[in-house]
Amino acid sequence: YVLLSHLHFSVRLSPGLLGLLSQARLHSIAAEKKNYLQEEPTSSHRRNASQFDWALMRLDNSVRRTGRIPKTLLQKVFDNTCHSGSPGGNQALLLLRSCGSLLPELKLSERTEFAHKIWDELQKLGTVYDVSHYNALLKVYLQNDHKFSPTDFLARMEKGNIQPNRVTYQRLIAAYCNMGDIEGASTILGFMKTKDLPVTEAVFSALVTGHARSGDMENAENILTVMKEAGIEPGPDTYLALLNAYAEKGDIDHVKQTLEKVEKSDLYLMDRDLLQIILSFSKAGYPQYVPEILEKITYERRYIPDTMNLILLLVTEKLEDTALQILLACPISRESSQNDFGSFFLRHCVTMNTPAEKLKDYCKKLKEAQLHTSPLQFTLQCALVAQKLDLAKVLMKALKEEGFPIRTHYFWPLLVGHQKEKNVQGIVEVLKGMHEIGVTPDQETYVNYVFPCFDSIKSVRAVLQENGCPHDDNVFSQAELRSKAVNGNLDYILSFLVDLAGVNFYCVCSNLLLLLQCTHFLSYQITELLYKDGRYCQEPPGPTEAVGYFLYNLIDSMSDSEVQAKEERLRQYFHQLKEMNVKIPENIYRGIRNLLDSYHVPELIKDVNILVEREKTDSRKPSSSDLESKLEKLKAENQPIGDILKQLIVMLCSEENMQKALELKAKYESDMVVGGYAALINLCCRHDNAEDALNLKREFDRLDSSAVLDTGKYVRLVKVLGKHGKLQDAINILKEMKEKDVPVKDATVLSFFHILNGAALRGETETVKQLHEAIVTLGLAKPSTALSSPLVTLYLEKDDLPAALESTIDCYEKYKILPRIHDVLCKLIEKGETELIQKAMDFVSQEQGEMTMLYDLFFAFLQTGNYKEAKKIIETPGIRARPTRLQWFCDRCIANNQVETLEKLVELTQKLFECDRDQLYYSLLKLYKVNDDWQKADAVWNKMQEENIIPREKTLRLLAEILRNNNQEVPFDVPELWYEEEKDCPTSLPSPVEVNLQQGLLNACHRRRNKGKHAFNIFLTAKKQNIVFDNETYARLINLLLMKDNSTQAMQVKDFAETHIKGFTLNDAANSLLIITQVRRDYLKDALTTLKTALDLDQIPSRLAVTRLIQACALKGDTESIHDIQKLVNGLEDSIGLSRMVFINNIALAQIKNNNIDVAIESIENMLTSENQTVDPQYFGLAYLFRKVIEGQLEPALKKISIMAERLANQFAVYKPVTDLFLQLVDSGKVNDARALLQRCGAIAEQMPILLVFCIRNCQRPGKAPVMKSLLELIPELIDKEEAYTCLMKSYVFDNDVTSAKALYESLTAKNVKLNDLFLKRYAVLLKNAGESVPFTEPPESFEFYAKQLKESKETHL
Amino acid sequence: MAASAARGAVVLRTNIGRPVAFVRKIPWTAASSELREHFAQFGHVRKCTVPFDKETGFHKGMGWIHFSSEEELHNALQQENHIIDGVKLHVQPQKPKALQGDQTSDEEKDF
């Protein structure tokens, strides 16, 4: 195995060496990075899996190329599988499936024997069989005409505890029918009916065969009627069964009639089907009808393997004359002498011992038909390989007759066989044969092929003489001499070298040399690639880390002497990197330093050191106000302020304080430096302030015209300027980017796309066109499909289809790309724009070929639900599978959750040539997984068996996962998880799929539809493919999910992100949301942990989050946690906006919940009466505590609190608590209790500020009218306050309480209160809405007007 | 570096000044004598090897023609078609890969 992998490597080295090496490097780096997070999969699993892939590939290639599997190949794969230890279920399936019609070179009985051998052997090795294996075995039986007892088979399954499924029954019915046993078939059909399994076309087709074989053609025909009555239209398969039945009877007339019938119908018989009819005729002994069917064959290229298959099968069945007939009918291009098409036929004839004379005749015919250039030579070669001396002799004689020389080495293959077995007699036979043909053995023949068979050369001479073999003594002696020299005198090494002299030796040496020499100059390119190409290093950790690791590995992989020898070159290299501005992290630098130290080249350390990224380490940041005062001080002292000014501006920018920053700039304009401008420009762009951004840019240029901004700032400028119609300025920026050679990364190109796309969506034609033109002509980015798609989007958004198509075509003419052609086509189809569709199709097929056009059309029809049309397209003769395009559409369907579309795709491509069915079903399962649809997934499992497809391990695992997730039994042995799928494309290289998915996810987040389910589905899809997005994407998704209260899913995303992105963290907002969600779900411990995490990250959680958590703890009586939180947020209260009262209220509440009422009351009383009060009694709000106590009906606590509040009022003149209590009683509808309290403590009525605040707060919420009414009843004085009556009216209006509003208005007018316009407006609208007349002139202006007016009048009063 | 240079030198010494044609797609019916005969028209064939597989008794379809001079090799390569027993051979100069490796030294200067 190790050897193999080496060979593989050296073979791969030569072509595209550069590419491969760099890939290998990247792989190793990717693997290195991954190891942080993932465990190394065990090697045996990996071997097993690669074994399967290898086997599948070999067998698949064979089937695809030739329509069959050679026995030797199957044997080899089988042996390999056995050696691998424990073969997996799908390997077994693969082998079993291969034992049927894919082995046309084997007799039917031998095939079944082979299948049984595989079955037993693998079972012994521990392979677990499931229903799919039994079904595959059944299929093999059917294909091999194997006679067996279906009931025994069922019994065997039962014994193995395997539940038969639909496919099993279908095949058992077919088995009975093949034997003409209608009764048996009916029994099984009965089973199916009791199990409520659908009766498909396959069953009916089998019944046609069944009736026919039982001799009842009439009923066979009748089945078609029965089918139609059952609602199933007979398809090609049913007709084929009927045709075969007639063919078996030699009934050419009925065959022809039926064929005509099919031709007239909508159905379509493929070459493969017609070949079947030919086989039936031939096997039944009616070869005379073959030519009539042959005429109908179209000989499409894709059916050539099928034709070959049939030819071989006929030879195996000793019907070689018919086989030749078919072969000669094949319209293979006769000119190309390269491929001798008839070879396979000749070879198989040799294998099947076709008589020599017949073969000679075939050779002649093939040569005449120009199907083979040298059939005799080829047949001879086959005979030699098969060691058939007699045949070889006949053929050699024939060749000689035709004037071809017979050479000595023709006999070597024959001798080799006997030599291996030390078969002296055999050798003698061959030597005699040589003589017979007139060929004398030469030295080499003796030395290499004859002598090794004997103990001594002496005995050779004796035997030859004994058997009357003539030999040239001279030649014989020379041979003897050479033989001795070779065996005795040359030493091993020399002979080894001699053997190697030639290609191998050179290959080995040169490859090694090349490898050694390439390592260095390549590394520079790889490094650059790594650093410059954003795809290889997603944030974090970013390019510095990637390059750092690369350098480390590079040096690590070199030996010390190598490093010493290449010291100077490495030095140059590092300086080169420095010039490129490549940086590496400090920690990796330290690693490299240690390596260099151990290699004794410390001189190089300083050269690496220049690459280290220096982080600003000043931890104590002064505040902006500090800086400002410092600045003023320096200015006053007339000292240079440039640095400090820049620092201050940068800080203001980071605080997003644009106004202040701009003011500062204006004030100290003359002291501005480049850095300050850069930060300011960026800030203005962020704030969408195009005007200032542009001015600043101009000032920046005046300051230093050679100064260069970083790429991001340029891009932002372009974006803002473009957005604000400053097109020329935007283009100028682009030009400057080009002139100043600003690095354009992938991310930059993506930004360009977003700028263009944004403008396209806003319908800004000129902006899109001109900016795109500028970007492309300046060469800032290649005109890729993605970058150019906004040009089309522009018109698609406006529904201007002709223009959209025109634009796409225009792009092709300019840049050879067809952006959004799929979308354009879909829209054209939807709108029925036949002419434009025609135009588009003509264009595509002319420029990109008919196949591309067909696929475009196929996908567009599928997408728009025109399945019938799609079907016609994909059935176009000659169309073949294009895996990348199919995958593209699958991925699209998955990303957009288009179940039906994808199902149709899979259905319609069933007979598509070279279609990777497993891959398509895998995609379908992925989609079912997203939708958690196990029933459909289970149906896929059945369909795959019906189609005889070998699922790959990943497919089985996915299927099992879906079933398990839905608590369904998994009906097969699930391959162990040993490696993540699609690992071969490392996560650091985002594929288009990846980018699309990420974009799709972000879009879905943006739209926030259906609770983020769509976005989450995309995440799942990506996860399945092991695609890792960037930090920001996950953060957005988590935010969305949390907002939509999907905390479980949010946590799932968070866990995934944390395990796949080193140092992934949620931001402040997300953590706050998470806390809130966790509290809502009652995961208080988790919420507390989240809070701690956030605070550890120096984040400021939201007030709401912290408050909710504290309150939740209080309701649980968890005093301790509240204390913990208090400690955690200590010092941050103001930043969070947390009032101290939150803790006081909630600690007290928690204590009360724990029945520590006295403790709670005592501590509150202490706080309010002690000397050093932390909170002013006026603000000591206990309303929350009171409300919770009242709500919780904690009567004893309420009583004691009431006593405390009254005591505080009466003894300490602290009225805030008692007033709060009073108001909470009113608020809770306990008006009587409130009244009693008011009577005991009349001072409450005097606490106007508190009461008014209560009014203002309450009137902003609906449903508070009754509360307000009660309050007014209890404290009638309130009506004298303008705030109070305004609030009352507002509240009544809110609740549509016309009666109370009227009463209020009347009592106020009775008091002659001058009412303001806002009040009147409100009242008037309420009355009008209630359909009542307004007793005064309604103020004509809007609410806003009067609200503003009122506010202004109050301000002027002040 | 020194070691690899030395190895390179060994390879170079065995090849430089020894014009060799590498022939592929030799039909099974032809062996070294047929090749020698065919290539003799371009010059003196010093050596002609077509290694046979001792396991099968067939050769592997490739061989080497050692000419006496570069010119002769050049002659052979000039001819477009080389056909033996009706089969077109693939003939190319046997370029030691070590030479190709050596050429990279130019690019290394850009390093």
Side-chain angles (χ1 to χ4, degrees), chain A residues 1222-1261:
Chain A
F1222 165 78
L1223 289 170
Q1224 286 310 315
L1225 286 169
V1226 177
D1227 196 39
S1228 320
K1230 294 180 177 284
V1231 181
N1232 289 336
D1233 291 348
R1235 186 174 291 121
L1237 185 61
L1238 180 65
Q1239 279 162 4
R1240 287 201 299 276
C1241 185
I1244 292 172
E1246 291 156 26
Q1247 306 303 316
M1248 264 315 154
I1250 302 174
L1251 296 174
L1252 288 177
V1253 166
F1254 179 82
C1255 286
I1256 291 166
R1257 281 205 188 138
N1258 268 308
C1259 76
Q1260 282 154 358
R1261 276 175 281 176

Side-chain angles (χ1 to χ4, degrees), chain A residues 377 380-381 384-385 407 409-410 412-413 416 420 448-449 503 506 509-510 513-514 516-517 520-521 569 573 576, chain B residues 1 4 8 11 14-15 28-31 34 52 54-58 64 85 94 97-98 101 104 107-108 111:
Chain A
Q377 285 89 338
L380 173 58
Q381 190 188 5
L384 296 175
V385 171
R407 295 170 186 142
H409 71 267
Y410 290 7
W412 294 350
V416 159
K420 275 185 208 147
N448 292 330
Y449 304 99
V503 71
Y506 294 141
C509 284
S510 54
L513 263 179
L514 209 53
L516 283 170
Q517 299 197 347
H520 286 107
F521 93 92
R569 190 174 296 170
Y573 176 47
Q576 188 106 27
Chain B
M1 192 60 194
S4 59
V11 179
T14 54
N15 285 291
W28 77 271
T29 48
E34 284 74 40
F52 269 70
K54 302 271 157 54
E55 289 291 306
T56 63
F58 288 101
W64 287 264
D85 289 346
Q94 167 72 19
K97 295 218 173 114
T104 57
E107 289 161 66
E108 276 166 36
F111 179 82

Side-chain angles (χ1 to χ4, degrees), chain A residues 891 894 922-930 958 1024-1025:
Chain A
D891 292 339
I894 295 169
Y922 180 69
S923 295
L924 194 53
L925 284 173
K926 274 206 273 195
L927 188 51
Y928 290 152
K929 169 89 200 304
V930 169
L958 180 58
K1024 186 98 277 130
Q1025 299 174 5

Side-chain angles (χ1 to χ4, degrees), chain A residues 221-291:
Chain A
E221 276 269 14
N222 276 342
I223 291 291
L224 273 73
T225 325
V226 176
M227 264 177 101
K228 283 179 193 155
E229 279 164 6
I232 299 175
E233 262 322 293
D237 289 348
T238 314
Y239 280 104
L240 183 61
L242 191 61
L243 283 161
N244 278 325
Y246 282 126
E248 278 168 18
K249 304 242 175 308
D251 186 347
I252 183 74
D253 294 335
H254 267 102
V255 168
K256 283 208 285 206
Q257 278 171 25
T258 314
L259 279 175
E260 272 165 33
K261 206 161 143 192
V262 174
E263 265 166 39
K264 275 183 205 143
S265 75
D266 218 12
L267 301 171
Y268 173 67
L269 283 183
M270 296 185 288
D271 279 3
R272 182 183 295 176
D273 305 323
L274 296 171
L275 292 170
Q276 273 290 316
I277 304 172
I278 291 178
L279 180 64
S280 297
F281 269 127
S282 318
K283 279 177 90 171
Y286 304 99
Q288 65 270 32
Y289 300 130
V290 170

Side-chain angles (χ1 to χ4, degrees), chain A residues 82-98:
Chain A
C82 290
H83 282 304
S84 73
S86 52
N90 55 344
Q91 274 164 287
L93 198 57
L94 177 67
L95 288 166
L96 286 172
R97 182 198 66 160
S98 305

